[in-house]
Amino acid sequence: MLYALISDIHSNLEALEAVLQDAEQEGAQAALCLGDIVGYGAEPHACIERIRQLGGIVIAGNHDYAVCGKTDVTYFNTYARQAIQWTIGQLSQDDLAFLAGCPLVYHGSSFCLVHGSLNYPDSWEYLFNEEDAIYTFRLLKERILFIGHSHVPLTFTFKGGEVRKLKPSDFILQPGLQYIVNVGSVGQPRDTDVRASYCLFDDVKEIVRFRRVPYHFQRTQAKILNAGLPEILALRLQMGR
Ligand code: ZN
């Protein structure tokens, strides 16, 4: 089966549609969502609807749990908190119930999914470097774990107790190795590349591919400004950080 792994959509419908179209063209048969459907952007309800239509597994992110009161927002920065408040007013009871019902972790037959890390998933820890990743590898039963949260695509490998951090490039799973793959962000990339980021995983051929998809971010920016959301949330889309 060919899976599309998408994360950190952040209410950016243009980027989500562009990614789903690309995934379909590539032959993806299912989409798995690693959380943060909402927050920052101007179309939270439409993004939730679109994700629900796909019918795949959806893991909760910190912004998803924040809007339904399941996680503390005091550590969010000011504009992220403003966006959370605005988002709550845009969602139906059904949207909120859906987000509240998303689990923190999913264990599949050949892969695992979590938003931040396996080390206390509800503490929303970031895996930026080798030292962060080792605790999650020690908890990982499957050969590969897909994550999001930092909005920066990358791969960690684990063998014999040693972690290596690799740039995001396509690879075939090697025997004896475990992997953590950050699929990057659909709706708010932070690696200076403005294009939407996601991954494809073929669990039969055991291949992971990193994809970047251009989308009409000016349209997204206009919607953010029209909604009265903080200007920085529009600006950062043209900087990719
Ligand atoms: Zn995020």
Side-chain angles (χ1 to χ4, degrees):
M1 177 105 115
L2 184 64
Y3 296 96
L5 292 123
I6 60 174
S7 191
D8 298 273
I9 293 120
H10 287 297
S11 306
N12 183 338
L13 190 61
E14 283 78 21
L16 177 59
E17 292 295 0
V19 157
L20 294 177
Q21 195 181 346
D22 185 79
E24 197 186 323
Q25 280 164 5
E26 292 297 313
Q29 294 146 296
L32 310 173
C33 179
L34 302 165
D36 279 1
I37 302 174
V38 302
Y40 300 133
E43 290 184 282
H45 171 73
C47 288
I48 293 171
E49 273 208 324
R50 192 70 180 90
I51 293 290
R52 291 180 77 175
Q53 274 173 11
L54 299 170
I57 294 144
V58 182
I59 296 296
N62 47 324
H63 289 252
D64 305 322
Y65 270 10
V67 294
C68 35
K70 283 185 76 170
T71 205
D72 189 12
V73 294
T74 49
Y75 76 96
F76 278 51
N77 61 43
T78 312
Y79 57 82
R81 226 172 21 236
Q82 283 172 7
I84 292 295
Q85 285 310 318
W86 180 88
T87 300
I88 291 167
Q90 304 296 312
L91 298 181
S92 65
Q93 285 306 314
D94 192 44
D95 291 334
L96 292 168
F98 171 74
L99 294 178
C102 291
L104 287 165
V105 185
Y106 174 81
H107 297 278
S109 52
S110 59
F111 57 83
C112 184
L113 312 174
V114 74
H115 186 64
S117 80
L118 291 179
N119 193 31
Y120 305 107
D122 59 354
S123 69
W124 316 108
E125 178 189 25
Y126 290 97
L127 303 188
F128 285 122
N129 50 48
E130 291 88 339
E131 298 79 62
D132 307 328
I134 196 153
Y135 301 101
T136 284
F137 271 126
R138 284 182 186 146
L139 295 166
L140 181 62
K141 305 266 189 298
E142 294 82 0
R143 288 178 71 194
I144 186 161
L145 167 70
F146 292 97
I147 64 170
H149 195 36
S150 73
H151 299 204
V152 177
L154 56 78
T155 300
F156 292 106
T157 63
F158 189 63
K159 190 182 183 181
E162 196 185 320
V163 182
R164 286 183 64 200
K165 180 178 169 177
L166 306 171
K167 289 201 166 69
S169 60
D170 304 354
F171 66 90
I172 302 172
L173 272 68
Q174 301 297 313
L177 258 72
Q178 282 178 294
Y179 299 84
I180 298 173
V181 173
N182 192 316
V183 304
S185 169
V186 170
Q188 195 196 77
R190 293 181 193 162
D191 60 348
T192 70
D193 184 339
V194 300
R195 296 173 300 168
S197 175
Y198 81 102
C199 278
L200 290 167
F201 175 51
D202 186 323
D203 70 342
V204 177
K205 294 180 185 159
E206 300 193 320
I207 297 174
V208 175
R209 290 163 59 205
F210 289 85
R211 302 284 298 167
R212 296 309 284 249
V213 188
Y215 73 96
H216 205 309
F217 66 81
Q218 294 89 344
R219 218 171 274 163
T220 312
Q221 289 180 306
K223 287 176 183 172
I224 288 172
L225 296 174
N226 286 338
L229 286 159
E231 190 184 15
I232 181 70
L233 299 176
L235 279 175
R236 64 190 306 176
L237 297 181
Q238 74 193 45
M239 303 187 288
R241 59 193 170 90

